[in-house]
Amino acid sequence: MLPTPDLSHLKRQDYEFIYEPAEDTFLFLDAFEDEVPYLKELNPAISLEVGSGSGCVTAFVGKILGESNCLKLCTDINPKAARATQGTAKQNQLSVDIIETHLTNGILPRLSGKIDLVYFNPPYVLTPSEEVGSHSVEAAWAGGIDGREVIDEFMPYIKQLLSPKGVFYMVVVNENKPDDIREIMKRDGFESSIVKTRLAGREKLFILKFVRMAP
């Protein structure tokens, strides 16, 4: 069993400004632990976490990939989250490049078709639309109508980001209509599977996995 990344450098007051690891984070870690053989065989040259927050998930994936030559990229629109991710990478002896940006701005078109591993714990909570898109901690959870506004904005980029062998993992809840998400991605040429599910209070969490359909 892989240890949870060391986040001892982050203090209680830091979590007033960045997303504190919670059930969705730990489900993502458990899913990636289940995927260790797959990820090792994938041997990604470039990985990307969108919305890295504390950097916990990127640090965990970094530990899985070990001393590979994978270029580990992260994005976050929140400057405090970007700094937290950099601190978490340092605390866990990892090299990570963090870009303070919205979703993949600055990544595309430069790395179009070159990223082997993309993962995203999106803002999925159902909120009024006007709460979406802040540069503070609300950006981590405010998902707008059906919790889908950021998810729907991001999905069209997947086919541009991923390499031919690439894989995309995403956290969703039942209210986000996972079957609808999977159908949209199918129309874009991706097959999907549910890697892991968990009940967290009233939320049913899913980790979805997408790969390109065989030609």
Side-chain angles (χ1 to χ4, degrees), residues 6 10 21 62 93 111 123-124 129 137 156 161 165 171 203 208 210:
D6 180 1
L10 295 174
Q93 294 86 50
L111 292 178
Y124 57 68
S129 290
V137 67
L161 289 165
K165 71 172 186 177
V171 181
E203 286 185 337
L208 302 181
F210 300 92

Side-chain angles (χ1 to χ4, degrees), residues 159-198:
K159 62 179 179 237
Q160 299 175 53
L161 289 165
L162 284 183
S163 69
K165 71 172 186 177
V167 58
F168 170 50
Y169 296 90
M170 183 167 65
V171 181
V172 297
V173 291
N174 209 41
E175 290 78 4
N176 302 148
K177 304 176 182 173
D179 289 343
D180 182 57
I181 290 170
R182 296 175 71 184
E183 184 58 35
I184 290 168
M185 291 294 285
K186 184 178 180 181
R187 293 199 293 268
D188 260 353
F190 290 91
E191 56 186 351
S192 63
S193 57
I194 297 170
V195 177
K196 215 164 184 69
T197 64
R198 182 172 297 160

Side-chain angles (χ1 to χ4, degrees), residues 7 15-17 39-40 43 46 48 53 57 67 69 75 120-122 131 137 139 150 155 161 164 183 190 193 208 211:
L7 302 179
Y15 293 120
E16 295 175 19
F17 305 104
L39 293 173
K40 285 187 176 294
N43 191 25
I46 304 176
L48 169 66
V57 181
E67 296 300 315
N69 293 320
T75 67
F120 189 21
N121 184 356
E131 292 184 20
V137 67
V150 178
M155 280 194 291
L161 289 165
E183 184 58 35
F190 290 91
S193 57
L208 302 181
V211 295

Side-chain angles (χ1 to χ4, degrees), residues 4-81:
T4 302
D6 180 1
L7 302 179
S8 60
H9 59 293
L10 295 174
K11 308 305 177 194
R12 172 53 48 195
Q13 58 267 31
D14 291 319
Y15 293 120
E16 295 175 19
F17 305 104
I18 64 171
Y19 187 68
E20 183 172 4
E23 282 293 335
D24 50 358
T25 314
F26 299 122
L27 180 62
F28 225 173
L29 302 192
D30 290 346
F32 278 127
E33 187 152 30
D34 290 349
E35 291 286 283
V36 165
Y38 178 87
L39 293 173
K40 285 187 176 294
E41 185 174 342
L42 181 69
N43 191 25
I46 304 176
S47 69
L48 169 66
E49 180 175 17
V50 178
S52 57
S54 67
C56 180
V57 181
T58 278
F60 192 79
V61 171
K63 293 289 187 186
I64 290 172
L65 298 178
E67 296 300 315
S68 72
N69 293 320
C70 179
L71 172 64
K72 291 174 276 296
L73 302 175
C74 299
T75 67
D76 205 295
I77 198 169
N78 177 352
K80 288 184 169 65

Side-chain angles (χ1 to χ4, degrees), residues 87-195:
T88 297
K90 185 177 179 183
Q91 187 78 4
N92 291 272
Q93 294 86 50
L94 291 169
S95 174
V96 169
D97 290 317
I98 175 81
I99 302 160
E100 188 184 317
T101 190
H102 176 61
L103 298 178
T104 58
N105 291 353
I107 300 282
L108 291 170
R110 186 166 53 101
L111 292 178
S112 181
K114 293 184 170 66
I115 304 179
D116 297 321
L117 170 60
V118 178
Y119 47 108
F120 189 21
N121 184 356
Y124 57 68
V125 176
L126 283 64
T127 66
S129 290
E130 54 268 23
E131 292 184 20
V132 175
S134 82
H135 288 231
S136 60
V137 67
E138 290 82 9
W141 49 263
I145 297 166
D146 292 331
R148 281 277 297 272
E149 292 187 29
V150 178
I151 292 171
D152 287 346
E153 181 185 356
F154 182 65
M155 280 194 291
Y157 293 116
I158 296 302
K159 62 179 179 237
Q160 299 175 53
L161 289 165
L162 284 183
S163 69
K165 71 172 186 177
V167 58
F168 170 50
Y169 296 90
M170 183 167 65
V171 181
V172 297
V173 291
N174 209 41
E175 290 78 4
N176 302 148
K177 304 176 182 173
D179 289 343
D180 182 57
I181 290 170
R182 296 175 71 184
E183 184 58 35
I184 290 168
M185 291 294 285
K186 184 178 180 181
R187 293 199 293 268
D188 260 353
F190 290 91
E191 56 186 351
S192 63
S193 57
I194 297 170
V195 177

